């Protein structure tokens, strides 16, 4: 069978609700690699919070982090890293404009440096993976360089209100996506970025055409990726908007959805 590129979102997709890779799915992905297919991760997480799973699957491929803001190759320092930041003045404008709405916190990330607007133990637990440098204080004073991403934490009532504001006022300069559980988060990155941008770049480097890309996702930040892939697969636990554009729907992240789909599709 021709070489395929298998693209994996992490939370709600590759990972079970316990943040584990199930035995069957792991075994299937390893078999796919042995059969000559390429396996990669595309996630909204920073690399420090996805490295564990990259290593568990013994990957040797590039990875897409921060929903396309960072495209790099952990195993090959000669591979050109693409790091696209949000202009600091734009971030300050966004921060200033969302103050009139109800939100819980603001978090800016500059690679592995994290800037927390308000101290919050729950958010610190979310961010602790990979031991980032964390600085707490008003972002207008603490953030001095263009960040990789800006996160707005707000409840389910205020999240759509803030997103509408971002779309109405800042759409020409930023992209914004919603995270799912356990925290309702709006992630902001540079305009034009998505997981699909990173996958397209990597696939071309590998010489794998779109029709041989199989991508799995479940959330708002997977929409472009699922639409771009030759075979876009939504998890059954995914959002309805994603299922409506997917080529296929597989079992949930807790039911070996990825493993069972690949066993059937790639005859593993």
């Amino acid at each position: 069978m021709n070489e395929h590129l298998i693209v994996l979102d992490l939370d709600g997709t590759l990972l079970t609700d316990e943040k584990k890779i199930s035995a069957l799915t792991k075994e299937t992905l390893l078999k796919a690699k042995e059969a000559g297919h390429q396996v990669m991760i595309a996630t909204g997480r920073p690399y420090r919070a996805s490295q564990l799973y990259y290593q568990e699957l013994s990957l040797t491929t590039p990875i897409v982090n921060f929903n396309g803001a960072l495209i790099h190759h952990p195993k090959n320092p000669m591979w050109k890293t693409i790091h696209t930041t949000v202009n600091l003045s734009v971030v300050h404008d966004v921060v200033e404009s969302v103050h009139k709405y109800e939100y819980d916190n603001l978090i800016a990330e500059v690679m592995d440096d994290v800037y927390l607007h308000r101290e919050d133990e729950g958010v610190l637990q979310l961010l602790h993976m990979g031991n980032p440098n964390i600085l707490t204080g008003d972002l207008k004073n603490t953030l001095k360089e263009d960040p990789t991403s800006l996160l707005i934490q707000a409840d389910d009532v205020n999240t759509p209100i803030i997103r509408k504001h971002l779309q109405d006022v800042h759409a020409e300069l930023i992209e914004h996506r919603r995270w799912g559980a356990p925290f309702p988060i709006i992630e902001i990155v540079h305009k034009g970025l998505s997981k699909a941008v990173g996958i397209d770049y990597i696939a071309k480097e590998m010489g794998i055409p779109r029709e041989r890309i199989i991508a799995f996702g479940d959330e708002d930040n997977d929409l472009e990726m699922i639409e771009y892939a030759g075979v876009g697969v939504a998890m059954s636990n995914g959002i309805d908007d994603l299922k409506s554009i997917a080529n296929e729907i597989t079992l949930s992240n807790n039911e070996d959805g990825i493993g069972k789909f690949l066993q059937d599709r790639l005859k593993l």
Side-chain angles (χ1 to χ4, degrees):
M1 183 176 288
N2 286 328
E3 178 186 35
H4 284 68
L5 176 60
I6 301 163
V7 185
L8 310 168
D9 168 53
L10 290 178
D11 299 286
T13 302
L14 175 65
L15 306 182
T16 65
D17 291 349
E18 287 72 44
K19 304 303 179 187
K20 305 285 187 185
I21 304 175
S22 69
L24 184 144
T25 291
K26 180 178 177 180
E27 180 186 355
T28 304
L29 289 167
L30 294 177
K31 283 182 178 178
K33 288 171 60 188
E34 289 169 10
H37 303 296
Q38 300 287 343
V39 177
M40 65 166 284
I41 291 170
T43 178
R45 292 184 181 214
Y47 180 63
R48 65 176 184 274
S50 45
Q51 183 177 12
L52 173 70
Y53 308 110
Y54 185 95
Q55 292 173 341
E56 184 177 351
L57 293 174
S58 301
L59 298 184
T60 56
T61 45
I63 182 171
V64 175
N65 290 112
F66 292 108
N67 288 322
L70 179 63
I71 308 162
H72 63 117
H73 198 316
K75 297 285 188 179
N76 183 359
M78 301 303 291
W79 202 86
K80 183 185 175 184
T81 294
I82 302 175
H83 179 214
T84 309
T85 56
V86 187
N87 187 279
L88 185 59
S89 63
V90 174
V91 172
H92 283 163
D93 286 347
V94 170
V95 169
E96 188 66 36
S97 69
V98 299
H99 279 326
K100 59 189 171 192
Y101 301 100
E102 289 188 38
Y103 66 89
D104 298 319
N105 218 331
L106 301 168
I107 305 113
E109 298 189 73
V110 183
M111 300 292 273
D112 289 325
D113 293 331
V114 176
Y115 297 81
L116 197 60
H117 192 66
R118 299 170 181 160
E119 190 156 349
D120 183 319
E121 199 58 43
V123 174
L124 286 172
Q125 289 179 12
L126 174 72
L127 299 170
H128 83 283
M129 198 170 187
N131 297 314
N133 302 312
I134 299 177
L135 183 66
T136 303
D138 191 323
L139 291 186
K140 288 181 291 184
N141 301 321
T142 58
L143 185 63
K144 303 295 185 183
E145 60 182 305
D146 297 349
T148 311
S149 68
L150 174 69
L151 309 179
I152 303 173
Q153 182 189 4
D155 62 27
D156 289 331
V157 173
N158 287 290
T159 290
I161 298 170
I162 295 171
R163 288 196 71 185
K164 183 179 185 305
H165 163 76
L166 294 173
Q167 191 61 33
D168 291 344
V169 179
H170 302 286
E172 292 183 4
L173 298 170
I174 62 169
E175 301 287 350
H176 53 94
R177 297 287 179 266
R178 182 181 65 85
W179 290 10
F183 294 100
I185 295 272
I186 303 164
E187 180 177 40
I188 293 170
V189 293
H190 191 279
K191 180 68 178 178
L193 292 181
S194 69
K195 293 181 182 182
V197 172
I199 295 161
D200 179 64
Y201 181 81
I202 291 167
K204 284 174 179 170
E205 287 281 309
M206 292 180 172
I208 299 176
R210 282 176 69 175
E211 59 265 24
R212 296 207 306 269
I213 299 174
I214 305 174
F216 296 89
D218 72 307
E219 262 291 352
D220 183 67
N221 63 344
D222 297 315
L223 286 164
E224 293 91 348
M225 172 177 82
I226 294 304
E227 193 166 35
Y228 169 82
V231 182
V233 186
M235 312 302 289
S236 66
N237 54 288
I239 61 172
D240 289 340
D241 284 352
L242 193 72
K243 293 178 186 176
S244 70
I245 65 165
N247 301 107
E248 308 268 359
I249 298 173
T250 190
L251 298 171
S252 78
N253 62 317
N254 294 319
E255 300 172 299
D256 292 304
I258 290 175
K260 290 177 179 175
F261 184 91
L262 291 175
Q263 283 179 344
D264 180 62
R265 182 58 61 107
L266 299 180
K267 312 301 180 193
L268 298 171

